[in-house]
Amino acid sequence: VTGKEGMVKRETVIEQVEGLLSDIELCRDVRRVEAPGRRPFVRYDAQVIPNPRCEVAAGDPLRFYYEIYGLARSPEETRRCRIRYRVLNLAESKGRQPVYPLAYSFDTDEPAGRYDIFTPRVGELDVSALRPGRYELEGRVEDLVSGKTEERKLRFMKRS
């Protein structure tokens, strides 16, 4: 990385939609903040530094932010969901082929009282093995209590 800085002006809005999953936003970093207040890029207790060009440089991980809404409560008063990330190659000659081993899935079980409406999430994937090119990140959330499922996609460019 050259160390040069520049500026890109782009409105970034993370909207709550009807359903389980917000849009996925690429970010350069996410930092926890002690006193959230009204500051640029602060979402609840996190400062989300956006990646408006949706590009990942060689050696950098793919970082992204999203929110999960309205998970059903289990009888044990927890919210349980399965989260899956998958990266697809968008090269015209290959179509939309999954890139393995960049498929990652995990289950989460957290107290229902922490966030009543949403659960903020930060994802990070090692994409160092990817060749330069165009890719698509698929994020999928399955509510393990209600059985509802929702998916969002985000295109990005891997640079050399």
Side-chain angles (χ1 to χ4, degrees):
V1 178
T2 64
K4 294 181 181 179
E5 291 187 22
M7 184 173 133
V8 174
K9 187 173 182 178
R10 181 186 128 198
E11 183 175 346
T12 300
V13 178
I14 299 173
E15 294 185 32
Q16 179 174 351
V17 295
E18 291 297 319
L20 294 175
L21 187 58
S22 73
D23 289 336
I24 300 172
E25 290 292 331
L26 238 53
C27 58
R28 295 198 183 285
D29 197 10
V30 176
R31 302 176 189 136
R32 295 286 165 218
V33 292
E34 296 292 324
R38 294 193 48 83
R39 298 190 321 220
F41 309 116
V42 172
R43 187 81 171 147
Y44 305 97
D45 62 349
Q47 183 177 24
V48 181
I49 310 301
N51 179 345
R53 293 184 182 208
C54 292
E55 295 179 349
V56 180
D60 287 349
L62 177 66
R63 288 188 187 98
F64 47 97
Y65 177 87
Y66 59 96
E67 295 174 359
I68 300 171
Y69 304 98
L71 293 174
R73 291 176 188 244
S74 71
E76 300 83 28
E77 287 297 306
T78 62
R79 299 174 194 263
R80 296 195 318 257
C81 69
R82 177 168 295 132
I83 300 168
R84 184 191 77 188
Y85 309 131
R86 196 165 74 146
V87 175
L88 303 172
N89 187 330
L90 292 178
E92 288 83 355
S93 61
K94 295 183 178 180
R96 296 179 67 234
Q97 298 296 317
V99 177
Y100 296 104
L102 293 180
Y104 180 65
S105 178
F106 64 95
D107 294 358
T108 182
D109 190 355
E110 58 188 60
R114 180 164 180 221
Y115 295 103
D116 230 11
I117 298 172
F118 73 95
T119 301
R121 292 280 176 198
V122 176
E124 184 171 301
L125 295 175
D126 178 3
V127 293
S128 59
L130 296 183
R131 294 182 185 154
R134 297 180 308 127
Y135 295 89
E136 184 174 75
L137 170 66
E138 278 184 357
R140 179 180 175 163
V141 173
E142 177 185 357
D143 186 330
L144 296 175
V145 176
S146 72
K148 292 180 184 175
T149 299
E150 196 154 320
E151 185 174 278
R152 294 280 183 260
K153 298 175 183 178
L154 174 71
R155 291 185 175 192
F156 68 95
M157 181 73 100
K158 170 74 187 291
R159 296 286 179 198
S160 54

